[in-house]
């Protein structure tokens, strides 16, 4: 059984292990301060939010998300699902889908009109799930790093 819920202070180490694996997957290196800042934001649960997936009481998946204004639908916010990661040993067992479903339910309760996210085109494992639960609208992401 998969249990989805907010992260607890006792989840700190397990969460960081999963988040570091996520960062490694995308071949990034982040300073320790980034993990601490993110954790403090999740514990405050005001600007950015996090949920965890547990199987047999063990944290095996995480998602981070937030809402923001939307200029093309000014009467509602939208929800950006920024990060989603599951431990390799539970992939294909519904953990990712359960996390997405929980974010969708949360966003719906907040009155959001949409949940959206990005993934790398080479992330074939995740894209198999994403193609089942959402529509790929074909957008390409550009970014400018501001060091």
């Amino acid at each position: 059984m998969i249990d989805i819920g907010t992260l607890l202070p006792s989840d700190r180490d397990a969460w960081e292990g999963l988040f570091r694996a996520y960062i490694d997957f995308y071949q990034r290196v982040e300073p320790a301060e980034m993990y601490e800042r993110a954790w403090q934001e999740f514990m405050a649960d005001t600007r950015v939010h996090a949920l965890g997936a547990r199987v047999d009481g063990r944290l095996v998946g995480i998602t981070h998300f937030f809402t923001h204004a939307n200029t093309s639908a000014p009467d509602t916010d939208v929800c950006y699902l920024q990060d989603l990661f599951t431990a390799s040993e539970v992939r294909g067992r519904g953990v990712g889908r359960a996390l997405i479903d929980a974010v969708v339910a949360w966003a719906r309760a907040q009155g959001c009109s949409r949940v959206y996210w990005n993934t790398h085109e080479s992330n074939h494992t995740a894209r198999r799930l994403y193609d089942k639960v959402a529509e790929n609208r074909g957008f390409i992401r550009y970014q400018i790093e501001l060091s």
Side-chain angles (χ1 to χ4, degrees):
M1 168 131 183
I2 301 165
D3 293 312
I4 305 295
T6 58
L7 295 175
L8 306 170
S10 59
D11 291 325
R12 176 66 168 86
D13 291 342
W15 164 83
E16 187 170 326
L18 290 167
F19 196 28
R20 282 185 181 276
Y22 171 85
I23 296 296
D24 288 347
F25 175 82
Y26 283 108
Q27 300 176 348
R28 294 172 26 210
V29 176
E30 299 293 344
E33 301 82 42
M34 187 272 313
Y35 296 98
E36 182 58 28
R37 183 183 58 78
W39 182 255
Q40 293 306 319
E41 288 283 352
F42 301 142
M43 292 297 96
D45 199 32
T46 55
R47 296 184 332 138
V48 291
H49 312 282
L51 294 172
R54 292 174 181 77
V55 172
D56 297 326
R58 187 172 72 90
L59 191 67
V60 296
I62 55 172
T63 186
H64 309 145
F65 53 97
F66 58 87
T67 62
H68 64 85
N70 179 15
T71 59
S72 61
D75 58 331
T76 64
D77 287 344
V78 295
C79 180
Y80 178 55
L81 193 162
Q82 187 168 24
D83 309 311
L84 177 71
F85 188 80
T86 63
S88 59
E89 68 270 15
V90 298
R91 292 196 186 126
R93 292 178 44 196
V95 174
R97 180 184 293 260
L99 285 165
I100 291 169
D101 288 347
V103 172
V104 168
W106 180 93
R108 193 172 275 129
Q110 303 305 307
C112 293
S113 61
R114 172 185 329 137
V115 174
Y116 72 102
W117 62 92
N118 298 306
T119 196
H120 196 273
E121 66 184 350
S122 66
N123 191 355
H124 302 293
T125 301
R127 290 183 66 197
R128 278 194 295 276
L129 168 61
Y130 301 162
D131 287 343
K132 291 175 186 171
V133 301
E135 178 184 358
N136 177 348
R137 296 267 180 106
F139 284 91
I140 299 170
R141 176 181 148 179
Y142 294 88
Q143 72 183 41
I144 299 172
E145 295 295 327
L146 304 174
S147 301

